[in-house]
Amino acid sequence: MDVSGVPASAGLRFPADLDAWRRWQRGRHAVRRVRDAVRRPAAPSSFALHVRGADPAVLFALDAVTPTALASVLEPLAHLEDAPVAVIAPADVSARLPGAWRVERVDPGEAPAALRGVRAVVSAGHFLPVGAAAFAWARAQGWRSLVVQHGLLTPFMAPLPEGAHLLAFSARDAEYWRSGRVDVTSEVVGSQLLWAAPGAAPEGRSSTDGPPVFLGQLHGAELPRRISAATATAFCRAHGALYRPHPAEVDRLSRWQHARWRRQGIRFAESGPLSASQGPVVSIFSTGVLEAAAAGRDAWVTCVRPPDWVREFWDRYELSVWGGSATAAPARPAVEPARAIAGAVLAIAEGGRR
């Protein structure tokens, strides 16, 4: 128990066993579990390899083009100037990358010849296909694996790759994700997403204008829907809040829940970036709460019957519960995180010891 009265947490539920984490995740989605039993999804047959310059020393592995993934994995490219680098992704993302790139499809089974000079791979982890392939290549070729934290951490986060070097938001997050492992090293660089948040807020707009915006999390495996849906229902009804679905809320059960809420008179927020909306921001454990606070908006958390890990999460990120003072803006690091990540990557890729 810590000084706040919140039960202390040792860290991840699965600190080192990726297979156990995958079994847990599949078990949290009944429909997906039945589907996989009938027709297990095929592994990707190829990826898009993007190369800039000759003999890149660094490979960036991008599994998704979400704001968090782009901020953590690709934003550092802007600080590498014209250094030769490579990017591996499920599809051609050259339009999002600075400079001129050569793109080819490659087999995920073995490292392409174009990567013979690579000494470090940067990813958000090895729990999705591209990151998994990049980590396998790194292990086979002796490359250093760097993992950039891309979001807030719950006990159900996937474990870090073996021997990885973690670039974390904070010292507390580094300790939490490592969960006592001695094979993983870490350093603190901060969050690029939160660093950029103040500049994304519209000028002259009060964070109290308009009804609260509730950030949906029906898609998450961390909480049962009976809690995530009940919390959204209760809050939106009690405070006239607008429900903002998470982009991943596209499954049949989520669409059914959305239709039910609309029949009950719950209004939905317009689509678009969160920074373009107005009103206070509320959620259970969304990164958007800290993003809103960093942008100067009022932001809170709330939950119906919150599990102990949710309370610990609120405490670790200093998130304020609805009814009290708004969440304070997170501390801003002295160096832009993307620049710090770029520096750490180059130091390791060039053979420096950290």
Side-chain angles (χ1 to χ4, degrees), residues 6-141:
V6 178
S9 173
L12 302 191
R13 185 72 57 88
F14 307 102
D17 192 337
L18 182 61
D19 288 337
W21 176 83
R22 285 173 171 156
R23 289 193 297 272
W24 166 82
Q25 190 182 56
R26 287 196 298 269
R28 298 292 290 181
H29 296 279
V31 174
R32 184 184 303 169
R33 186 169 64 250
V34 172
R35 181 200 65 193
D36 289 353
V38 176
R39 178 182 57 81
R40 188 166 297 279
S45 59
S46 66
F47 296 132
L49 176 65
H50 310 65
V51 178
R52 184 181 71 185
D55 292 331
V58 182
L59 172 66
F60 289 82
L62 182 70
D63 270 292
V65 290
T66 61
T68 54
L70 293 173
S72 60
V73 179
L74 288 194
E75 211 45 50
L77 285 174
H79 301 282
L80 293 177
E81 299 179 348
D82 58 353
V85 294
V87 175
I88 191 82
D92 187 340
V93 294
S94 54
R96 297 177 176 269
L97 306 177
W101 299 79
R102 306 185 303 279
V103 183
E104 62 175 309
R105 300 300 299 187
V106 297
D107 185 339
E110 58 181 271
L115 303 181
R116 58 184 176 274
V118 167
R119 290 188 289 278
V121 58
V122 183
S123 71
H126 66 326
F127 53 93
L128 292 175
V130 172
F135 174 68
W137 296 347
R139 186 164 51 184
Q141 301 295 326

Side-chain angles (χ1 to χ4, degrees), residues 132-202:
F135 174 68
W137 296 347
R139 186 164 51 184
Q141 301 295 326
W143 305 340
R144 190 72 188 278
S145 293
L146 291 87
V147 174
V148 183
Q149 183 178 346
H150 65 287
L152 307 188
L153 303 176
T154 77
F156 309 101
M157 181 60 193
L160 290 161
E162 180 183 352
H165 183 66
L166 170 62
L167 304 175
F169 288 177
S170 68
R172 292 184 73 177
D173 274 349
E175 180 181 5
Y176 190 87
W177 203 350
R178 289 175 62 187
S179 299
R181 288 173 55 179
V182 297
D183 64 306
V184 174
T185 56
S186 63
E187 63 183 283
V188 176
V189 296
S191 165
Q192 182 66 23
L193 187 70
L194 299 182
W195 171 279

